[in-house]
Amino acid sequence: MKRITFLLIFCFVSLSFAQNISLESFVTGLSSPVNVKHAGDDRLFVVERAGVIKIINSVGTVNSTPFLDINDRVTNLGGEQGLLAIAFHPNYATNGFFYVNYIDNNADTVISRFTRSATGIADPNSEVPLLNVVQPYPNHNGGDLNFGPDGYLYISLGDGGASGDPGNRAQNLSLLLGKMLRIDVNVTPEQISAGTTYLIPSDNPFIGVSTALDEIWSYGLRNPWKFSFDRTTGDLWIADVGQNQIEEINRSSVSSTGGENYGWKCFEGNSIFSTETGCDIITHEAPKAQYTHSATGGCSITGGYIYRGSSQTTLEGLYFFSDFCSDDIGYVKETTPDNYEIAFIEDLSGLGISAFGEDVNGELYVVSLYQGAIFRIIENTLNTAEYSITDIKMYPNPAKNELTFDLINTSNQIEYISIYDVQGKLIAKHSNFDEQLMTISTEMLTTGLYLIEIKNSKGSRNIRKLIIE
């Protein structure tokens, strides 16, 4: 498999120094993928923006027959429209129900239920529309949906578009736009026949409030492009795209009773965006993490997942996200209770990350809109353990202006030598060695401790400490 390796910098780690994150190619040949979910087994279901859902098997092959094709009823003019997300009923294995979020031919949001046929392929004629939300503009559709640990279906909707939420829709509780919705989809065939396609959970926060819609769970969102539930804690994580300066990440505890106001358009992140009437009296739920456009080059956050798999142990507990503009992958780490640290991986150009995916085992995937591909996140940890390269001498150590490598075994060719600082930042990389005795300059290094990574032509790696005087 093709592997693309980048450096993830953990500034809070002391002597583990750094961690390499590899994006290992899992599947290619897709068309504008925007969402990936599992159905409780080892397959992944990828949503293509044009209105097609495909099945990816555990070895990374795509079934020749689409799982669902509703291209004829989906508006896909690029941008933020199209078929946007899928969610499988918790009892999908027995009832065959799944739900989709798409923009229809009237350019409005539709939330519908479909049913798997006897052959394991979805029946496009089984559609049962649950919700239809008029969209005033073609952008800010939100577009994700997931079942929570409580068994209810959560749906994210953006503020309806344009710039600056001109109708202040996100703060208007009589509209569904700019909200997180929570509904009960467990209705009987008799109820559906009578026109009831979903129910309202009895503990939704705005039941009985005459000026609010019962479906609303939380509000004050601009464009929540992807959200997820932590499979261990049940907490809800929402990535909300900013306007001019700030991207934010919100977390709601599994113990929440709902009703959170995330602030838009009164606030963008922790900063005041509008002083419109009413903004001075709202209770603003501050984001757990945020970053600015000016500092990062980002402008549109893509939400992901907290890593809870078993194979990438050093990633445990990190919330992964990305920015569509900068093509950076980032993470959020809880350093102390309810205090969070945010960091980035740089230079992931050309991916256009539209979504993350989580498989049934908790392993994470990155979805590339531009490349029509899905990559699996793999860790490669640097540490000071010795591998199999014991026949290469490195001297002097401490060093000043240069460093020499002596191949005791001349058949042990060096592929590359990399120099990292103690925070894991790559300082220099040297390659194309073909001599037994090789010297590299260290004049660019300031006084301190560094790591030297040596990799030979057989793929073995060795990490050594270097002191610069």
Side-chain angles (χ1 to χ4, degrees), residues 300-356:
S300 181
I301 192 170
T302 296
Y305 294 82
I306 288 190
Y307 180 81
R308 297 297 188 189
S310 59
S311 62
Q312 321 299 326
T313 56
T314 63
L315 306 185
E316 170 67 23
L318 299 180
Y319 172 80
F320 283 92
F321 66 94
S322 67
D323 190 284
F324 194 77
C325 300
S326 66
D327 250 352
D328 290 344
I329 291 178
Y331 68 87
V332 174
K333 179 182 176 65
E334 188 172 21
T335 54
T336 58
D338 210 33
N339 288 300
Y340 297 85
E341 183 176 83
I342 192 169
F344 291 90
I345 309 170
E346 306 293 342
D347 301 327
L348 310 186
S349 60
L351 293 184
I353 298 172
S354 58
F356 287 75

Side-chain angles (χ1 to χ4, degrees), residues 246-380:
I246 297 172
E247 305 298 303
E248 67 179 71
I249 298 167
N250 299 292
R251 180 187 66 86
S252 175
S253 169
V254 68
S255 62
S256 168
T257 56
E260 292 92 349
N261 182 357
Y262 294 109
W264 176 253
K265 69 174 181 177
C266 300
F267 289 86
E268 182 183 9
N270 281 318
S271 298
I272 294 174
F273 181 86
S274 172
T275 57
E276 188 164 317
T277 301
C279 284
D280 58 336
I281 61 172
I282 73 167
T283 300
H284 170 221
E285 187 75 22
K288 297 303 181 184
Q290 65 175 42
Y291 62 92
T292 64
H293 297 183
S294 58
T296 65
C299 75
S300 181
I301 192 170
T302 296
Y305 294 82
I306 288 190
Y307 180 81
R308 297 297 188 189
S310 59
S311 62
Q312 321 299 326
T313 56
T314 63
L315 306 185
E316 170 67 23
L318 299 180
Y319 172 80
F320 283 92
F321 66 94
S322 67
D323 190 284
F324 194 77
C325 300
S326 66
D327 250 352
D328 290 344
I329 291 178
Y331 68 87
V332 174
K333 179 182 176 65
E334 188 172 21
T335 54
T336 58
D338 210 33
N339 288 300
Y340 297 85
E341 183 176 83
I342 192 169
F344 291 90
I345 309 170
E346 306 293 342
D347 301 327
L348 310 186
S349 60
L351 293 184
I353 298 172
S354 58
F356 287 75
E358 182 186 48
D359 68 20
V360 69
N361 298 313
E363 301 304 321
L364 297 188
Y365 299 77
V366 169
V367 181
S368 171
L369 182 77
Y370 293 153
Q371 296 186 12
I374 297 176
F375 299 88
R376 184 161 39 201
I377 295 179
I378 304 294
E379 67 179 358
N380 290 315

Side-chain angles (χ1 to χ4, degrees), residues 159-232:
D159 66 10
S163 177
D165 192 4
N168 201 20
R169 295 176 289 267
Q171 290 295 316
N172 186 345
L173 291 174
S174 67
L175 297 173
L176 296 180
L177 296 169
K179 314 297 190 299
M180 183 68 68
L181 312 183
R182 179 182 185 243
I183 62 174
D184 182 355
V185 299
N186 293 310
V187 294
T188 65
E190 292 76 20
Q191 288 173 315
I192 290 178
S193 297
T196 299
T197 54
Y198 65 89
L199 305 171
I200 302 297
S202 60
D203 57 349
N204 269 15
F206 296 107
I207 293 177
V209 179
S210 60
T211 57
L213 297 176
D214 293 344
E215 292 89 346
I216 297 172
W217 177 253
S218 56
Y219 64 111
L221 295 165
R222 182 176 179 271
N223 190 27
W225 183 251
K226 309 306 179 188
F227 70 93
S228 64
F229 290 93
D230 183 341
R231 63 165 54 202
T232 297

